[in-house]
Amino acid sequence: GAVVSQHPSRVICKSGTSVKIECRSLDFQATTMFWYRQFPKQSLMLMATSNEGSKATYEQGVEKDKFLINHASLTLSTLTVTSAHPEDSSFYICSARQRDYYNEQFFGPGTRLTVL
Amino acid sequence: RKEVEQDPGPFNVPEGATVAFNCTYSNSASQSFFWYRQDCRKEPKLLMSVYSSGNEDGRFTAQLNRASQYISLLIRDSKLSDSATYLCVAGGDNQGGKLIFGQGTELSVKP
């Protein structure tokens, strides 16, 4: 149980395009989903916290108009990188937290974004 | 100062060796602590939670010292398959359930 999927696993796009990444909890309801970004040889950095049915809470320094998050259901959250540029190239990972299991997060397999 | 600090390594050890990783956290209000393992280009996977009383899972032992805000992980009889990056993580209800990750410590176990 507690499986989280992400799609796509890998995407290469041209500068200026927008990319949507999906995060799904497959066998549980995720009241909260988290979006992280990881650059090479660096740690996971939390970008935003997404609660179902409400606006996402962004970490300091993360542009909410550039990284659009939608958490429309208890099993799906999406991250859209708008007008992507080469510096947005990174490994994006989501995690999901079950209702009543407050401290445990289950991670998706990640999406590797390369912006040319 | 980073909220969670680790020695990035790399730690290069022979098979069978015992290796210890240390981590410090700055937020004294943190309530939950974990060690995650991350393989190259993969997502992190939970290795074990860390409790004040210390906990052991096979060859792995984790310790928490709240007074010093210090967390450790001990790996005994290391295997080639233990080669990975080990992430120290702190979080808690008072932080909205957020997890703060350390930079990670790279371990390479050699034959």
Side-chain angles (χ1 to χ4, degrees):
Chain A
V3 177
V4 176
S5 71
Q6 265 183 258
H7 178 80
S9 58
R10 188 180 189 96
V11 59
I12 300 172
C13 68
K14 291 182 180 178
S15 188
T17 58
S18 293
V19 176
K20 181 187 277 190
I21 302 169
E22 291 187 350
C23 177
R24 291 181 186 273
S25 56
L26 298 185
D27 49 4
F28 66 98
Q29 293 187 329
T31 50
T32 306
M33 287 184 170
F34 300 88
W35 286 96
Y36 297 84
R37 180 168 53 182
Q38 187 177 33
F39 293 107
K41 296 290 185 182
Q42 295 187 26
S43 189
L44 276 75
M45 296 300 297
L46 180 64
M47 298 174 68
T49 301
S50 168
N51 291 299
E52 186 265 338
S54 62
K55 289 184 179 180
T57 303
Y58 289 82
E59 295 300 300
Q60 196 171 15
V62 178
E63 299 174 58
K64 61 181 180 181
D65 293 330
K66 180 168 182 64
F67 299 99
L68 302 178
I69 293 172
N70 185 286
H71 191 162
S73 78
L74 284 171
T75 60
L76 174 65
S77 177
T78 60
L79 167 68
T80 301
V81 183
T82 61
S83 186
H85 289 284
E87 59 265 29
D88 297 322
S89 299
S90 188
F91 190 45
Y92 292 85
I93 309 174
C94 73
S95 71
R97 188 172 66 199
Q98 282 180 282
R99 195 192 305 270
D100 300 331
Y101 289 87
Y102 201 73
N103 284 321
E104 191 167 7
Q105 293 183 25
F106 302 95
F107 284 83
T111 297
R112 194 160 300 279
L113 171 64
T114 303
V115 185
L116 302 175
Chain B
R1 184 187 170 190
K2 294 178 185 175
E3 283 197 60
V4 177
E5 291 209 60
Q6 294 180 251
D7 179 346
F11 283 57
N12 297 305
V13 303
E15 263 188 297
T18 295
V19 60
F21 302 141
N22 303 317
C23 163
T24 57
Y25 61 96
S26 61
N27 188 340
S28 60
S30 296
Q31 299 169 331
S32 304
F33 307 91
F34 309 92
W35 282 101
Y36 277 76
R37 171 195 169 127
Q38 187 175 27
D39 292 286
C40 188
R41 302 174 82 84
K42 301 279 189 182
E43 78 276 22
K45 292 188 185 293
L46 181 64
L47 181 65
M48 58 199 306
S49 301
V50 189
Y51 306 110
S52 297
S53 54
N55 49 307
E56 187 175 310
D57 183 3
R59 299 180 293 109
F60 300 84
T61 301
Q63 293 275 357
L64 166 65
N65 184 321
R66 285 190 182 273
S68 305
Q69 294 181 203
Y70 173 95
I71 304 162
S72 66
L73 176 68
L74 184 75
I75 305 176
R76 290 181 298 279
D77 187 23
S78 53
K79 313 288 184 193
L80 296 176
S81 57
D82 293 334
S83 298
T85 296
Y86 290 82
L87 303 168
C88 177
V89 185
D93 295 357
N94 64 319
Q95 295 156 298
K98 294 192 292 187
L99 297 180
I100 307 301
F101 285 79
Q103 180 184 1
T105 299
E106 186 181 342
L107 172 66
S108 179
V109 182
K110 308 289 187 186

